[in-house]
Amino acid sequence: MAKRALITGVTGQDGSYLAEFLLEQGYEVFGMVRRSSTVNFERIAHIQDRITLVAADLLDEVSMIHVLRDHRPTEVYNLAAQSFVQTSWNQPVLTGETTALGVTRLLDAIRTVDPDIRFYQASSSEMFGKVQAVPQVETTSFYPRSPYGVAKVYGHWITINYRESYGLHASSGILFNHESPRRGLEFVTRKVTHGVARIKAGIDDRLALGNLDAQRDWGYAADYVRAMWLMLQQDQPDDYVVATGETHSVRELVTLAFAAAGLDWERYVVIDERFLRPAEVDLLVGDPAKAERTLGWKRNVEFAELVQMMVEADLALVGAQA
């Protein structure tokens, strides 16, 4: 019998790559979507006829119980969240409802319907926030610096709590920043590569950014969803840092992206105070040694290659729209 996987947040960057990957592994894939008028299916349009979309909401435990009972997944990947750090300052309560309590509702639905379901929780490097050690490993203390980071810490600990209290096969991936051509335009990597494409096409003549000295550990999303799957194939559930172990500054990102389009970034980039965060996180860099050792995971795409891929995709996208 084919394995069955339920993905929450299937229309997001990670959800779309994970759905693709699981289809390749022969899974029957169910994607959970909210019944709202703003659902965007763009990222999964090319595989939509191969996955089954089901309506449920992380704010409503009963809806998730129905989905689990009706479709009987063997694995559940919780990728749904209010996932943008900046927005979490303006919508802190909603962020807590979805990103923190939503995890509890889903775990409780699994416990109620079928405790044998294997569960993956999307934890985040934003939980480390004001970092207590460099690089960050699975045992590094959390010090979140945004409502989003705080909500993710709750989601992480409630996953551990259900694992230890009810014996669920529940694992968390503490994923550091991971990008792709499917990244939302509000995230700095995509904002830069899309901005480059618009400047190259003559649509814009400047790109406004915040802190160019901010450093991040950036990887490729399609590499990272493979780690999620590997966690649920282990005999024992556990938590893993998934990262590259390298940091790059926004300035380096900008330099590479503009160069990929044959442009000099210093002619176009302006600093805008509005894009500076109330509390910036310090040096986020993960040590993926445990994931590499235990899961046999490793990344395939390097940073420069990732930026090149994103710029090329955005040049094609903007060209097609022009």
Side-chain angles (χ1 to χ4, degrees):
M1 194 177 103
K3 280 186 167 178
R4 301 158 79 90
L6 173 69
I7 304 171
T8 75
V10 72
T11 59
Q13 168 186 258
D14 293 8
S16 66
Y17 281 112
L18 180 62
E20 275 177 0
F21 177 79
L22 293 175
L23 287 169
E24 284 166 16
Q25 309 304 312
Y27 278 70
E28 194 174 341
V29 177
F30 299 88
M32 192 177 102
V33 292
R34 284 174 302 163
R35 279 214 188 282
S36 75
S37 57
T38 56
V39 176
N40 181 353
F41 296 107
E42 190 183 322
R43 294 185 183 94
I44 55 167
H46 62 297
I47 51 170
Q48 207 169 323
D49 58 340
R50 297 169 61 201
I51 62 181
T52 305
L53 295 177
V54 296
D57 197 314
L58 286 178
L59 302 183
D60 179 13
E61 187 174 329
V62 174
S63 70
M64 290 184 287
I65 287 173
H66 284 308
V67 164
L68 295 177
R69 281 199 179 133
D70 292 347
H71 302 288
R72 294 287 168 179
T74 46
E75 297 173 1
V76 171
Y77 295 86
N78 183 36
L79 310 185
Q82 189 300 100
S83 65
F84 189 44
V85 174
Q86 201 76 34
T87 300
S88 77
W89 296 102
N90 300 328
Q91 300 185 335
V93 177
L94 178 68
T95 299
E97 282 286 356
T98 53
T99 309
L101 292 177
V103 187
T104 316
R105 296 187 191 102
L106 184 48
L107 283 164
D108 213 54
I110 288 170
R111 181 180 70 84
T112 303
V113 175
D114 178 4
D116 289 333
I117 291 171
R118 297 191 170 197
F119 176 78
Y120 171 82
Q121 167 60 13
S123 288
S124 166
S125 59
E126 289 286 333
M127 301 189 305
F128 295 120
K130 188 175 178 182
V131 300
Q132 303 300 292
V134 179
Q136 292 90 53
V137 295
E138 290 77 10
T139 53
T140 303
S141 299
F142 299 135
Y143 195 139
R145 299 270 277 172
S146 65
Y148 170 75
V150 173
K152 278 292 186 185
V153 170
Y154 179 102
H156 183 79
W157 278 112
I158 202 69
T159 300
I160 293 170
N161 190 258
Y162 269 66
R163 175 168 79 213
E164 294 178 350
S165 303
Y166 301 115
L168 297 186
H169 193 298
S171 296
S172 288
I174 305 173
L175 270 56
F176 281 67
N177 294 56
H178 45 288
E179 318 297 317
S180 76
R182 298 179 198 170
R183 192 56 143 153
L185 289 169
E186 67 273 24
F187 292 87
V188 68
T189 47
R190 184 73 199 291
K191 183 179 172 182
V192 168
T193 61
H194 193 255
V196 165
R198 287 177 64 85
I199 289 168
K200 183 73 174 178
I203 301 166
D204 293 340
D205 57 7
R206 59 197 277 279
L207 176 62
L209 295 171
N211 180 9
L212 293 188
D213 296 318
Q215 300 203 1
R216 291 291 183 276
D217 181 328
W218 277 303
Y220 177 40
D223 283 344
Y224 285 33
V225 300
R226 201 170 66 250
M228 301 174 184
W229 174 76
L230 285 166
M231 288 176 215
L232 298 201
Q233 312 318 306
Q234 306 304 306
D235 291 337
Q236 297 302 319
D238 206 346
D239 308 316
Y240 297 90
V241 164
V242 181
T244 69
E246 302 171 0
T247 55
H248 300 274
S249 66
V250 175
R251 183 177 273 102
E252 190 179 346
L253 161 71
V254 166
T255 306
L256 284 169
F258 276 88
L263 299 171
D264 173 9
W265 72 271
E266 294 188 54
R267 291 180 54 192
Y268 304 101
V269 172
V270 294
I271 303 303
D272 188 330
E273 301 287 323
R274 289 176 307 161
F275 298 122
L276 300 175
R277 289 185 187 179
E280 180 59 88
V281 296
D282 301 308
L283 194 53
L284 280 177
V285 53
D287 178 358
K290 180 178 170 183
E292 291 172 349
R293 184 177 65 246
T294 309
L295 305 176
W297 176 81
K298 67 177 198 305
R299 65 184 174 128
N300 296 327
V301 174
E302 301 288 326
F303 180 67
E305 194 182 340
L306 171 64
V307 176
Q308 181 82 27
M309 176 200 305
M310 291 177 68
V311 171
E312 285 173 6
D314 275 327
L315 286 169
L317 178 70
V318 170
Q321 290 169 346

